[in-house]
Amino acid sequence: MGEVVKLVTFLGLGKYEESEIKINGNLLDGCVKNDDSQDIFCVRQSIFPLALIEYLNHIGKQVETIFFLTKTVKESKTWDECRRFLRSNIKDFEIPGGESSSNLMNFLVRNLVENLEKGDRVILDVTHSFRSIPLMASVVALYLKEAKDVNVSVVYGKYNKETKVTECEDLTPLTKATSWIYAVRLFKEYGYAKELADLIKKRNEEIYRGSQSSKKPKLLGSMSQKLQDLSSSIRLGSIVAIRKNLTNFFNFIDRNKARIREETEVFVPEIAALLDGIEKRYRVIHVKSENFELSEKELESEKELLDFYLQTGDLGMALRLAREYLINVYLMSGGEKSDFLDRNVRESVSISTFGYDTILQARNHVAHFGFNKLQLPSLKKIEDHLKVLVQTPPEQLLESARKTQRNRKRALLTPLGTTKGALYTVLKKISPDLLLVITSKQGKAILSEILEKAEFKGEFRVILLENPFMGVSEIDRVVSEIKEHLSDVDEVIVNLTGGTTFLTYVIERAKNQIRYGRKVKTILAVDKRTYEEQKQNPFVVGEILELD
C-alpha cells in the first residue's frame, strides 16, 4: 500500500480538449520516486486533475480526490467522465451559487477542515477553478498548512496553444511566503527574530545544496546564527547573554554591512527591506563597551530593554527586569559599579523606597510562577506602573536613590548575656542609628551601664527571652519581633558575641530572614586580654572582626 495523497481540485464548464500533459518526476515535492529519476511523465488527457491521478498512481501513490464544483457542472458530461474514470475514493462538494466571497470562503474552509487530517499530504490543483476560487483556495491551503500541519503542494496545468502541450507548474513556493509573513510579523509585533533566523538558515542551506552557480552567499549562515543567539538570549532573559550576543551581532553587522545588504538582496530578498528595522530595534538596547559595568549608558539601555519587553507584551520579563533595573539604579547612586552582580550586594538593596510596590509584588508572584500566596495585581495595573517606570528618566531615579542613600538607617542587632565588654567594644567602634538587643532580664539589668560607658545616645530597643539558654519555644516570637523592629532599616550589623550560645543561635535564625532588601554585615567583638582582666575591667575597647 502506497502513501495516500489527497487531491483537492475544481471543475468548471470550460471546453476540455485533449492535450499532451507533462509532469516533471521531481516536480511534486514529497510525491516523487525514491530514486534519482527525473523523467518527464507524459499522458494524453483532457481533464488535468485526471492526469495528476494517473501520475500519482504511476509513482505508487493512493489518491483520494476531493472535487469542488457547481450544480451546473455536476450535471455535465465532464463530471460524468470524471466519475467513470475515478470510480471510488472520490468526494464532491457543491459550491453554492450567489454567495458572497466571505460565505464562499467559509464554505471552502469548513469542508476542507472536515476532510483533511493533521499531517496529510495534499495537492491543491487550481487549473480548472473559476472566478476568485483559485485565490480563495490558495489562502485556505496556507491556513490549513499552519492550522492542521498538512503538507500542501499547489499545482497548475498551463496549456500552450502553439505546442498544444499542458505542463504542470509547481506553485508551492508561493505558499512559503506565509512563513516569511509570519516571521516578519513575529519580529515586528514581538521583537523576536528566531523564525527569521531559521528561514535565513534554510535558504542558505537550500542554495548550497541545490544551486550549481559559483556565486553563493558567504555571510548568511553566520548572520542567521548570530540573530538566533541574540533573539534566544532576549527571550531567556539573561543580561550577560544579551550583552554578549548584542556585541557579537553588531560587531558582525558593522564589519560587513555592505556585503550583508548585497547578499540579502540577491539571496534573501524577503528580509532585505527589514534589515534597517532589525538593526534599529536592537541598537537601542546595545551598550558598546568592553566591560560589563554599571554606567548611565547601561541604565539607559536597561530602560530601553524594559520598554522593549513592555511593547512586545512580555509583562513577565518586564517585571523581572524592572526589579533588577531599580536595584542597579540604587547601587549606582551609591557608587557601586564593579560588584553589582554579586548576590549579597544585590540582596542588600531595599527598593521599596522607590514606590514601585505593585511592580515588586507582581514580580515576586511571577518569579515563582504563582506558587506563593502573593496576590497578583491586575494586568492593567501592572502595565500602567511599568509604563510609568519606563517614562521616568534614569537621572530622576538616580536622584531619588541618592536621597534614599543619604537617609539610610543602620541598626546593630546583638545578643547580651551577663558580660559587658563585647557590646561595649561594638558600640565604641560602630555608631548605629538603632540598637536592638536580644537578652534576658539579667542582661537588661546591665544594659544601661554599658550604654552610659559607651556614650551611646541613639535609639535602642530590647527583646526579652524568659530562658536565654534553652528557650526553643520562644524562637518564632523573638524572630518575628526582630523583623518588625528592623522593617524600616536599610543596613543591619549583626554581632554574634557577648551572649549565650542559644542567644547567638536566635540571632543567626533572624539574620537569615532579614537579609533580603537590606545590607547585612556580620561581626565579632574580640578582646585578647585574659578572662580575669576582662572581668576586672570590661570597659576596654577591643577589636572588631568582620566576617562578611
Side-chain angles (χ1 to χ4, degrees):
M1 299 279 294
E3 177 192 5
V4 175
V5 177
K6 293 184 178 180
L7 173 63
V8 179
T9 187
F10 302 84
L11 204 59
L13 283 173
K15 185 179 180 181
Y16 294 92
E17 296 183 356
E18 185 178 272
S19 69
E20 183 181 17
I21 296 177
K22 295 183 177 181
I23 302 174
N24 190 310
N26 284 341
L27 182 63
L28 303 178
D29 182 32
C31 289
V32 298
K33 296 178 183 179
N34 296 321
D35 57 29
D36 295 328
S37 173
Q38 295 189 24
D39 295 339
I40 302 296
F41 176 82
C42 298
V43 64
R44 294 198 67 81
Q45 185 56 265
S46 59
I47 303 173
F48 185 74
L50 301 187
L52 281 175
I53 293 170
E54 288 192 64
Y55 164 69
L56 292 170
N57 289 333
H58 173 71
I59 61 174
K61 308 297 179 183
Q62 293 189 77
V63 185
E64 295 180 8
T65 310
I66 300 173
F67 270 96
F68 286 92
L69 63 171
T70 64
K71 181 179 180 180
T72 304
V73 174
K74 290 188 72 172
E75 297 170 353
S76 68
K77 292 182 180 180
T78 304
W79 177 235
D80 290 339
E81 182 182 343
C82 288
R83 286 191 296 175
R84 284 195 302 272
F85 182 90
L86 294 171
R87 297 180 184 174
S88 61
N89 289 331
I90 180 174
K91 292 182 181 180
D92 62 273
F93 298 94
E94 185 177 312
I95 299 173
E99 294 287 346
S100 65
S101 295
S102 60
N103 287 340
L104 196 53
M105 176 69 85
N106 291 338
F107 168 79
L108 289 172
V109 171
R110 182 173 65 254
N111 285 286
L112 287 175
V113 166
E114 290 175 357
N115 288 276
L116 298 179
E117 302 297 331
K118 182 177 181 179
D120 275 351
R121 181 67 181 87
V122 179
I123 296 177
L124 173 64
D125 166 38
V126 296
T127 306
H128 300 313
S129 55
F130 48 94
R131 296 195 299 271
S132 59
I133 293 293
L135 178 59
M136 290 184 183
S138 299
V139 172
V140 171
L142 301 180
Y143 165 74
L144 293 172
K145 181 181 178 183
E146 298 299 331
K148 302 203 76 168
D149 196 26
V150 298
N151 186 355
V152 181
S153 293
V154 183
V155 298
Y156 173 73
K158 185 178 180 181
Y159 178 66
N160 187 319
K161 289 184 179 181
E162 294 182 359
T163 62
K164 294 185 178 181
V165 171
T166 299
E167 294 190 3
C168 180
E169 288 197 353
D170 186 5
L171 304 181
T172 308
L174 298 178
T175 67
K176 295 181 179 179
T178 55
S179 299
W180 287 98
I181 293 170
Y182 170 70
V184 171
R185 176 67 62 87
L186 189 65
F187 174 76
K188 293 184 73 174
E189 293 291 329
Y190 303 108
Y192 299 126
K194 180 183 180 299
E195 293 298 324
L196 283 173
D198 285 345
L199 290 173
I200 295 170
K201 179 182 178 181
K202 289 178 182 177
R203 178 66 57 80
N204 191 59
E205 291 173 347
E206 288 171 0
I207 293 169
Y208 272 87
R209 188 170 55 244
S211 175
Q212 301 300 319
S213 172
S214 60
K215 186 177 181 181
K216 294 180 180 178
K218 305 297 182 183
L219 301 177
L220 290 186
S222 296
M223 179 181 174
S224 169
Q225 188 60 57
K226 286 176 171 53
L227 198 57
Q228 170 93 298
D229 292 343
L230 175 55
S231 184
S232 296
S233 63
I234 290 174
R235 296 200 71 175
L236 177 65
S238 165
I239 193 65
V240 175
I242 290 171
R243 289 283 167 261
K244 174 185 174 183
N245 288 311
L246 276 169
T247 298
N248 291 342
F249 179 75
F250 281 111
N251 284 347
F252 175 77
I253 291 292
D254 294 340
R255 282 197 311 267
N256 304 287
K257 185 168 292 188
R259 182 70 179 275
I260 290 171
R261 187 169 296 280
E262 178 186 341
E263 287 195 3
T264 54
E265 289 176 352
V266 173
F267 300 106
V268 200
E270 296 91 339
I271 198 178
L274 197 62
L275 282 179
D276 291 340
I278 293 173
E279 182 177 349
K280 182 179 179 181
R281 187 147 210 180
Y282 289 143
R283 186 76 73 175
V284 294
I285 60 175
H286 176 47
V287 177
K288 195 172 183 180
S289 174
E290 295 184 0
N291 301 314
F292 182 32
E293 61 181 13
L294 279 184
S295 65
E296 291 184 1
K297 286 184 178 180
E298 172 63 30
L299 292 181
E300 184 64 37
S301 172
E302 290 172 14
K303 184 176 80 72
E304 291 293 341
L305 182 57
L306 180 57
D307 190 34
F308 172 93
Y309 286 130
L310 186 57
Q311 287 184 18
T312 55
D314 196 340
L315 294 184
M317 203 66 78
L319 287 170
R320 293 179 180 91
L321 177 58
R323 175 183 179 271
E324 307 308 320
Y325 171 59
L326 289 170
I327 288 175
N328 287 341
V329 169
Y330 188 92
L331 291 175
M332 185 171 168
S333 70
E336 181 61 72
K337 293 186 177 181
S338 57
D339 289 334
F340 70 104
L341 296 178
D342 183 86
R343 177 183 175 183
N344 292 328
V345 171
R346 301 189 71 79
E347 288 181 350
S348 72
V349 176
S350 174
I351 53 176
S352 60
T353 53
F354 281 102
Y356 289 99
D357 291 345
T358 296
I359 290 177
L360 300 181
Q361 181 181 343
R363 178 268 172 195
N364 291 337
H365 179 91
V366 301
H368 302 282
F369 220 77
F371 287 98
N372 50 41
K373 295 182 178 180
L374 295 171
Q375 294 298 312
L376 181 68
S378 72
L379 296 182
K380 184 179 186 306
K381 190 175 182 180
I382 293 171
E383 190 170 355
D384 288 344
H385 281 251
L386 285 170
K387 286 180 179 177
V388 170
L389 178 57
V390 167
Q391 292 166 3
T392 303
E395 303 79 37
Q396 186 175 327
L397 289 173
L398 280 169
E399 183 56 34
S400 175
R402 290 188 184 101
K403 289 180 180 178
T404 302
Q405 292 274 10
R406 290 193 291 268
N407 297 324
R408 286 180 66 91
K409 187 174 182 179
R410 184 166 67 163
L412 171 63
L413 174 62
T414 182
L416 178 60
T418 55
T419 58
K420 307 170 185 177
L423 181 54
Y424 173 78
T425 290
V426 173
L427 289 176
K428 293 298 286 185
K429 292 283 188 177
I430 298 169
S431 299
D433 302 299
L434 170 67
L435 171 63
L436 184 57
V437 181
I438 314 302
T439 187
S440 63
K441 291 180 180 178
Q442 291 84 353
K444 184 180 179 181
I446 63 172
L447 178 58
S448 58
E449 181 185 6
I450 299 172
L451 298 180
E452 181 181 349
K453 293 291 186 179
E455 299 178 318
F456 179 73
K457 306 296 184 182
E459 178 185 2
F460 71 92
R461 299 169 192 169
V462 177
I463 298 176
L464 293 177
L465 281 86
E466 293 295 328
N467 187 345
F469 299 99
M470 302 174 62
V472 175
S473 62
E474 300 182 76
I475 293 176
D476 290 342
R477 172 186 63 82
V478 173
V479 170
S480 178
E481 289 184 30
I482 290 173
K483 290 168 63 178
E484 182 178 347
H485 284 299
L486 299 177
S487 61
D488 62 343
V489 170
D490 302 290
E491 180 181 355
V492 180
I493 299 171
V494 178
N495 172 40
L496 298 179
T497 48
T500 65
T501 302
F502 181 74
L503 286 176
T504 302
Y505 170 76
V506 173
I507 294 288
E508 284 280 14
R509 279 281 296 270
K511 174 188 170 183
N512 289 332
Q513 296 193 32
I514 64 171
R515 66 188 180 92
Y516 296 104
R518 55 180 58 85
K519 185 176 181 180
V520 177
K521 182 166 64 175
T522 306
I523 64 169
L524 300 176
V526 180
D527 190 340
K528 296 180 180 178
R529 296 179 299 155
T530 64
Y531 175 73
E532 290 299 326
E533 289 176 314
Q534 293 179 39
K535 186 176 180 181
Q536 182 178 359
N537 183 12
F539 301 116
V540 173
V541 179
E543 299 177 40
I544 295 293
L545 176 64
E546 295 186 5
L547 300 182
D548 52 33

